[in-house]
Amino acid sequence: MNSLADKILKRARARGRGSVFTPGDFLDLGSRANVDQTLSRLVARKQLRKLARGLYDYPRMSARLGALSPTPDRVAKALAADAALQALGSVAANQLGLTTQVTAKPVYLTDGPSRVAKIGRQTITLKHVRRLPAAGKPAGDVFQALRWLGRDGVTPDVVRKLKTRLPLSTKRDLTKIAKQAPGWLRTTLHDVAA
């Protein structure tokens, strides 16, 4: 099990079914040209699947449906590579139970480059922003959700819900990032963390 193909497959299997990756995830195993060629061979053998240019997965399988599509979160994480990644405010608000709206097109915020990947019929977008307070943490989700709701959308009921649901560690993180927020949001973050 010394070939590059074996090493790539071993790593993909270790990540589990549904994992998404780029050739950059395997550059420690060989040169870019060798990794690209090996990935192409693995796709031809149907051991891996090519989702888009430079984007592959080790697909989850269904007895009835065959290979399933990867989750948008996994695709976004692979696209972002080492850059910070945060859910869009509307998605974060939905996940926190502050709204019932569901975003039809997955959009993520990143401090890395903007990118768009079309996987089948779904388009996943990474949008570059300059600052992402507490990216990847629950406090970052709260920050983005409150920004999305806006000054008029943040009611006392929203503050109460967040106050009762959030753990102490998230409230501490909110206090730390409050200084990066606009005035109205700074006050709200302190109210939630209190």
Side-chain angles (χ1 to χ4, degrees):
M1 194 164 173
N2 293 331
S3 76
L4 181 57
D6 291 335
K7 290 176 184 175
I8 289 174
L9 268 180
K10 182 179 179 183
R11 191 172 290 177
R13 287 180 180 137
R15 287 185 178 184
R17 291 272 182 192
S19 60
V20 180
F21 42 87
T22 65
D25 294 329
F26 305 109
L27 292 181
D28 61 314
L29 302 175
S31 70
R32 178 63 190 245
N34 286 344
V35 167
D36 286 344
Q37 188 176 38
T38 302
L39 287 169
S40 291
R41 275 193 244 120
L42 290 170
V43 168
R45 288 189 227 149
K46 299 190 186 304
Q47 292 177 297
L48 297 177
R49 178 174 55 176
K50 184 173 183 174
L51 300 170
R53 185 172 181 238
L55 201 59
Y56 301 84
D57 80 332
Y58 182 52
R60 293 178 299 137
M61 301 301 286
S62 164
R64 290 196 305 174
L65 303 173
L68 302 175
S69 296
T71 64
D73 285 347
R74 287 191 174 195
V75 173
K77 285 177 186 167
L79 287 172
D82 295 329
L85 190 68
Q86 187 67 51
L88 193 65
S90 58
V91 174
N94 178 275
Q95 291 171 345
L96 290 165
L98 304 177
T99 183
T100 55
Q101 290 181 348
V102 179
T103 305
K105 295 181 181 181
V107 178
Y108 297 84
L109 304 174
T110 181
D111 59 0
S114 294
R115 292 189 65 182
V116 176
K118 188 161 176 61
I119 312 293
R121 293 181 180 179
Q122 189 170 43
T123 301
I124 298 159
T125 305
L126 268 60
K127 185 176 174 183
H128 174 79
V129 293
R130 285 185 290 144
R131 286 183 285 139
L132 277 176
K137 293 183 174 183
D141 288 333
V142 173
F143 183 90
Q144 294 302 329
L146 292 173
R147 277 189 62 203
W148 178 78
L149 287 171
R151 184 182 307 201
D152 297 332
V154 177
T155 63
D157 186 49
V158 167
V159 172
R160 184 188 50 75
K161 276 184 185 177
L162 290 173
K163 249 181 142 158
T164 58
R165 292 181 185 172
L166 297 177
L168 186 58
S169 59
T170 302
K171 290 178 180 180
R172 283 189 201 121
D173 288 344
L174 288 175
T175 303
K176 290 176 189 173
I177 64 172
K179 58 186 158 217
Q180 300 174 36
W184 71 270
L185 186 52
R186 186 176 308 133
T187 304
T188 304
L189 291 172
H190 283 299
D191 290 346
V192 169

